[in-house]
């Protein structure tokens, strides 16, 4: 295993978690969106991770990638709000079924995973720099 392989693995995890945080931020930003380009309320999205082979000279290593961004199949929530511009004749508005608390927990989990990948990256980088210092003595 090459020293730089650790950096490749950590980098793939950083990219995957960054994309996950972007999707979660989009869910939070659209928690009250009743109109989309597709029509109807916004649908919550989530990422699907998959392993991906990394190009190495020695052993077969795998990193992580975002395989897909999927739309949640939950139906929208009917909310009584007769003054809303998207309300039907009975005053019901179809709202996205997004729980902000759940999204914040998902965001914290993604952030912690991102932090762990940064720590791994920095530790590997520090170890490489220390080994270069050993060669100078």
């Amino acid at each position: 295993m090459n020293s730089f392989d650790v950096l490749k693995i950590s980098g793939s995890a950083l990219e995957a978690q960054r994309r996950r945080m972007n999707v979660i931020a989009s869910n939070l930003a659209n928690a009250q969106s009743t109109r989309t380009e597709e029509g109807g309320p916004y649908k919550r999205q989530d990422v699907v991770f998959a392993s991906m082979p990394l190009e190495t000279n020695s052993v077969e290593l795998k990193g992580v990638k975002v395989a897909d961004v999927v739309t949640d199949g939950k139906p929208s929530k009917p909310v009584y709000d007769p003054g809303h511009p998207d309300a039907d004749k009975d005053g019901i508005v179809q709202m996205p079924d997004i729980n902000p608390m759940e999204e914040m927990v998902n965001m914290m989990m993604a952030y912690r995973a991102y932090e762990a990948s940064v720590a791994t990256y920095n530790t590997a980088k520090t170890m490489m720099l220390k080994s270069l210092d050993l060669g100078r003595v």
Side-chain angles (χ1 to χ4, degrees), residues 6-18 52 54 62-66 117:
V6 175
L7 300 178
K8 290 178 186 177
I9 293 169
S10 294
S12 71
L14 288 169
E15 174 65 19
Q17 292 300 335
R18 183 191 62 77
M52 70 173 186
L54 296 174
K62 295 192 182 263
V64 65
K65 67 176 181 175
V66 174
S117 295

mmCIF file of all heavy atoms in Angstrom, residues 6-18 52 54 62-66 117:
data_model
loop_
_atom_site.group_PDB
_atom_site.id
_atom_site.type_symbol
_atom_site.label_atom_id
_atom_site.label_comp_id
_atom_site.label_asym_id
_atom_site.label_seq_id
_atom_site.Cartn_x
_atom_site.Cartn_y
_atom_site.Cartn_z
ATOM 1 N N VAL A 6 -3.809 6.358 1.224
ATOM 2 C CA VAL A 6 -4.622 6.829 2.348
ATOM 3 C C VAL A 6 -5.251 8.170 2.009
ATOM 4 O O VAL A 6 -6.421 8.428 2.318
ATOM 5 C CB VAL A 6 -3.778 6.938 3.642
ATOM 6 C CG1 VAL A 6 -4.569 7.541 4.773
ATOM 7 C CG2 VAL A 6 -3.225 5.583 4.032
ATOM 8 N N LEU A 7 -4.496 9.013 1.337
ATOM 9 C CA LEU A 7 -5.018 10.324 0.950
ATOM 10 C C LEU A 7 -6.139 10.182 -0.077
ATOM 11 O O LEU A 7 -7.130 10.919 -0.034
ATOM 12 C CB LEU A 7 -3.896 11.204 0.400
ATOM 13 C CG LEU A 7 -2.726 11.491 1.350
ATOM 14 C CD1 LEU A 7 -1.678 12.332 0.650
ATOM 15 C CD2 LEU A 7 -3.196 12.145 2.626
ATOM 16 N N LYS A 8 -5.991 9.223 -0.994
ATOM 17 C CA LYS A 8 -7.043 8.986 -1.987
ATOM 18 C C LYS A 8 -8.333 8.494 -1.324
ATOM 19 O O LYS A 8 -9.429 8.944 -1.670
ATOM 20 C CB LYS A 8 -6.582 7.957 -3.019
ATOM 21 C CG LYS A 8 -5.513 8.439 -3.953
ATOM 22 C CD LYS A 8 -5.113 7.310 -4.907
ATOM 23 C CE LYS A 8 -3.946 7.691 -5.764
ATOM 24 N NZ LYS A 8 -3.514 6.578 -6.623
ATOM 25 N N ILE A 9 -8.187 7.576 -0.376
ATOM 26 C CA ILE A 9 -9.366 7.038 0.317
ATOM 27 C C ILE A 9 -10.051 8.141 1.117
ATOM 28 O O ILE A 9 -11.270 8.306 1.055
ATOM 29 C CB ILE A 9 -8.975 5.850 1.218
ATOM 30 C CG1 ILE A 9 -8.511 4.680 0.359
ATOM 31 C CG2 ILE A 9 -10.130 5.433 2.107
ATOM 32 C CD1 ILE A 9 -7.848 3.559 1.137
ATOM 33 N N SER A 10 -9.259 8.911 1.873
ATOM 34 C CA SER A 10 -9.835 10.007 2.660
ATOM 35 C C SER A 10 -10.477 11.054 1.761
ATOM 36 O O SER A 10 -11.551 11.574 2.074
ATOM 37 C CB SER A 10 -8.756 10.681 3.511
ATOM 38 O OG SER A 10 -8.269 9.804 4.480
ATOM 39 N N GLY A 11 -9.842 11.340 0.642
ATOM 40 C CA GLY A 11 -10.398 12.313 -0.299
ATOM 41 C C GLY A 11 -11.729 11.869 -0.868
ATOM 42 O O GLY A 11 -12.649 12.679 -1.033
ATOM 43 N N SER A 12 -11.850 10.577 -1.159
ATOM 44 C CA SER A 12 -13.129 10.085 -1.688
ATOM 45 C C SER A 12 -14.232 10.209 -0.631
ATOM 46 O O SER A 12 -15.367 10.560 -0.944
ATOM 47 C CB SER A 12 -13.005 8.644 -2.176
ATOM 48 O OG SER A 12 -12.864 7.733 -1.103
ATOM 49 N N ALA A 13 -13.872 9.941 0.624
ATOM 50 C CA ALA A 13 -14.857 10.074 1.706
ATOM 51 C C ALA A 13 -15.257 11.538 1.906
ATOM 52 O O ALA A 13 -16.431 11.841 2.158
ATOM 53 C CB ALA A 13 -14.300 9.488 2.996
ATOM 54 N N LEU A 14 -14.293 12.440 1.798
ATOM 55 C CA LEU A 14 -14.600 13.869 1.932
ATOM 56 C C LEU A 14 -15.583 14.325 0.850
ATOM 57 O O LEU A 14 -16.551 15.039 1.136
ATOM 58 C CB LEU A 14 -13.314 14.699 1.847
ATOM 59 C CG LEU A 14 -12.375 14.614 3.040
ATOM 60 C CD1 LEU A 14 -11.036 15.250 2.713
ATOM 61 C CD2 LEU A 14 -13.003 15.276 4.255
ATOM 62 N N GLU A 15 -15.338 13.907 -0.377
ATOM 63 C CA GLU A 15 -16.224 14.285 -1.488
ATOM 64 C C GLU A 15 -17.628 13.724 -1.287
ATOM 65 O O GLU A 15 -18.631 14.412 -1.496
ATOM 66 C CB GLU A 15 -15.630 13.799 -2.815
ATOM 67 C CG GLU A 15 -16.528 13.996 -4.007
ATOM 68 C CD GLU A 15 -16.811 15.451 -4.342
ATOM 69 O OE1 GLU A 15 -16.056 16.326 -3.907
ATOM 70 O OE2 GLU A 15 -17.820 15.702 -5.037
ATOM 71 N N ALA A 16 -17.718 12.461 -0.858
ATOM 72 C CA ALA A 16 -19.026 11.832 -0.661
ATOM 73 C C ALA A 16 -19.807 12.522 0.457
ATOM 74 O O ALA A 16 -21.006 12.809 0.308
ATOM 75 C CB ALA A 16 -18.855 10.342 -0.344
ATOM 76 N N GLN A 17 -19.147 12.826 1.568
ATOM 77 C CA GLN A 17 -19.845 13.483 2.676
ATOM 78 C C GLN A 17 -20.208 14.925 2.342
ATOM 79 O O GLN A 17 -21.239 15.430 2.789
ATOM 80 C CB GLN A 17 -19.010 13.422 3.960
ATOM 81 C CG GLN A 17 -18.866 12.033 4.527
ATOM 82 C CD GLN A 17 -20.185 11.379 4.899
ATOM 83 O OE1 GLN A 17 -21.193 12.031 5.175
ATOM 84 N NE2 GLN A 17 -20.202 10.057 4.903
ATOM 85 N N ARG A 18 -19.380 15.584 1.539
ATOM 86 C CA ARG A 18 -19.721 16.952 1.111
ATOM 87 C C ARG A 18 -20.989 16.939 0.279
ATOM 88 O O ARG A 18 -21.893 17.753 0.468
ATOM 89 C CB ARG A 18 -18.572 17.560 0.298
ATOM 90 C CG ARG A 18 -18.842 19.018 -0.114
ATOM 91 C CD ARG A 18 -17.831 19.500 -1.132
ATOM 92 N NE ARG A 18 -17.854 18.745 -2.364
ATOM 93 C CZ ARG A 18 -18.779 18.896 -3.332
ATOM 94 N NH1 ARG A 18 -19.748 19.764 -3.184
ATOM 95 N NH2 ARG A 18 -18.725 18.173 -4.439
ATOM 96 N N MET A 52 -15.944 2.268 -4.488
ATOM 97 C CA MET A 52 -15.370 2.431 -5.826
ATOM 98 C C MET A 52 -13.904 2.026 -5.770
ATOM 99 O O MET A 52 -13.210 2.340 -4.809
ATOM 100 C CB MET A 52 -15.516 3.863 -6.317
ATOM 101 C CG MET A 52 -14.669 4.866 -5.611
ATOM 102 S SD MET A 52 -14.766 6.463 -6.410
ATOM 103 C CE MET A 52 -13.561 7.357 -5.472
ATOM 104 N N LEU A 54 -10.016 2.150 -6.367
ATOM 105 C CA LEU A 54 -9.055 3.228 -6.553
ATOM 106 C C LEU A 54 -7.894 2.732 -7.395
ATOM 107 O O LEU A 54 -7.508 1.566 -7.317
ATOM 108 C CB LEU A 54 -8.531 3.720 -5.201
ATOM 109 C CG LEU A 54 -9.559 4.360 -4.280
ATOM 110 C CD1 LEU A 54 -8.935 4.651 -2.925
ATOM 111 C CD2 LEU A 54 -10.091 5.648 -4.880
ATOM 112 N N LYS A 62 -10.427 0.300 -2.059
ATOM 113 C CA LYS A 62 -11.709 0.891 -2.418
ATOM 114 C C LYS A 62 -11.937 2.165 -1.612
ATOM 115 O O LYS A 62 -11.614 2.236 -0.442
ATOM 116 C CB LYS A 62 -12.846 -0.094 -2.166
ATOM 117 C CG LYS A 62 -12.750 -1.316 -3.061
ATOM 118 C CD LYS A 62 -14.011 -2.122 -3.003
ATOM 119 C CE LYS A 62 -13.858 -3.353 -3.855
ATOM 120 N NZ LYS A 62 -14.401 -3.244 -5.149
ATOM 121 N N GLY A 63 -12.495 3.139 -2.292
ATOM 122 C CA GLY A 63 -12.916 4.371 -1.656
ATOM 123 C C GLY A 63 -14.440 4.383 -1.644
ATOM 124 O O GLY A 63 -15.092 3.349 -1.811
ATOM 125 N N VAL A 64 -15.013 5.551 -1.453
ATOM 126 C CA VAL A 64 -16.467 5.679 -1.426
ATOM 127 C C VAL A 64 -16.878 6.751 -2.419
ATOM 128 O O VAL A 64 -16.131 7.679 -2.693
ATOM 129 C CB VAL A 64 -16.979 6.001 0.005
ATOM 130 C CG1 VAL A 64 -16.497 7.359 0.473
ATOM 131 C CG2 VAL A 64 -18.481 5.927 0.095
ATOM 132 N N LYS A 65 -18.065 6.566 -2.990
ATOM 133 C CA LYS A 65 -18.600 7.568 -3.910
ATOM 134 C C LYS A 65 -20.115 7.632 -3.701
ATOM 135 O O LYS A 65 -20.721 6.734 -3.113
ATOM 136 C CB LYS A 65 -18.292 7.220 -5.352
ATOM 137 C CG LYS A 65 -19.020 5.980 -5.840
ATOM 138 C CD LYS A 65 -18.753 5.731 -7.305
ATOM 139 C CE LYS A 65 -19.520 4.504 -7.754
ATOM 140 N NZ LYS A 65 -19.418 4.266 -9.170
ATOM 141 N N VAL A 66 -20.693 8.702 -4.182
ATOM 142 C CA VAL A 66 -22.142 8.823 -4.179
ATOM 143 C C VAL A 66 -22.638 8.137 -5.452
ATOM 144 O O VAL A 66 -22.393 8.605 -6.555
ATOM 145 C CB VAL A 66 -22.596 10.296 -4.130
ATOM 146 C CG1 VAL A 66 -24.100 10.408 -4.275
ATOM 147 C CG2 VAL A 66 -22.150 10.942 -2.829
ATOM 148 N N SER A 117 -12.733 12.031 8.347
ATOM 149 C CA SER A 117 -11.943 11.908 7.116
ATOM 150 C C SER A 117 -10.859 12.980 7.052
ATOM 151 O O SER A 117 -9.738 12.708 6.603
ATOM 152 C CB SER A 117 -12.850 11.996 5.893
ATOM 153 O OG SER A 117 -13.727 10.906 5.869
#
